[in-house]
């Protein structure tokens, strides 16, 4: 059963999905002290991996609200953990140009936020399951792009 035939027509289910991610937005800052025990590049890679796995899993859960809500919770937690790890990694990699590096990061975030809905619209033909799989592939690309920072950090 696809999302359009189940959850999309149920406003309570949609609300439950939206609310399911909120605990992650509170938990990640609370867990920040523990998370910072891991090097920033490692946190970024692990967070991207968790995000990729959960969004891929979610692509198969279209008609099942509770498992989809759990996948969404973990996905949002991963994204919330990845963002500061990426900024921290950027700061460490470009200490001589931190302002420019963080500005480029911010620019990429705005470009992604602007292109995301356009890409989703262009991919509607893939259905609910296909779009998250494309997102999972993009997250795997993020992992691959973060791996050199992880290797660089280990050599220091």
């Amino acid at each position: 059963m696809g999302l359009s035939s189940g959850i999309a027509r149920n406003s309570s289910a949609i609300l439950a999905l939206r609310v399911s991610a909120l605990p992650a937005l509170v938990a990640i800052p609370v867990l920040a002290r523990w998370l910072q025990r891991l090097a920033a590049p490692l946190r970024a890679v692990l967070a991207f991996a968790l995000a990729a796995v959960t969004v891929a899993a979610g692509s198969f859960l279209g008609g099942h609200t509770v498992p989809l809500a759990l996948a969404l919770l973990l996905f949002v937690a991963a994204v919330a953990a990845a963002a500061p790890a990426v900024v921290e990694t950027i700061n460490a990699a470009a200490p001589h140009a931190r302002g420019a590096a963080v500005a480029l990061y911010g620019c990429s975030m705005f470009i992604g936020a602007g292109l995301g809905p356009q890409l989703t619209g262009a991919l509607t033909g893939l259905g609910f399951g296909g779009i998250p799989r494309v997102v999972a592939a993009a997250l795997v690309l993020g992992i691959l792009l973060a791996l050199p920072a992880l290797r660089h950090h280990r050599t220091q």
Side-chain angles (χ1 to χ4, degrees), residues 24-154:
L25 297 175
V26 174
I28 293 302
V30 170
L31 296 173
R33 177 172 277 166
W34 181 81
L35 290 170
Q36 287 181 334
R37 292 179 184 173
L38 299 173
L42 179 59
R43 280 195 325 263
V45 167
L46 291 175
F48 284 140
L50 177 61
V53 167
T54 57
V55 78
S59 73
F60 297 104
L61 302 171
H64 307 285
T65 307
V66 173
L68 187 58
L70 180 60
L72 183 60
L73 170 73
L74 293 173
F75 174 74
V76 170
V79 171
V86 169
V87 171
E88 197 174 325
T89 301
I90 290 168
N91 281 335
H96 57 285
R98 283 188 176 137
V102 173
L104 285 171
Y105 169 76
C107 177
S108 71
M109 295 294 287
F110 284 116
I111 289 171
L115 291 178
Q118 303 304 318
L119 182 61
T120 301
L123 298 175
T124 55
L126 296 176
F128 173 75
I131 295 171
R133 287 183 208 119
V134 171
V135 171
L139 288 163
V140 169
L141 177 61
I143 293 168
L144 295 174
L145 292 172
L147 285 176
L150 181 58
R151 280 190 227 116
H152 177 73
H153 177 77
R154 286 184 178 167

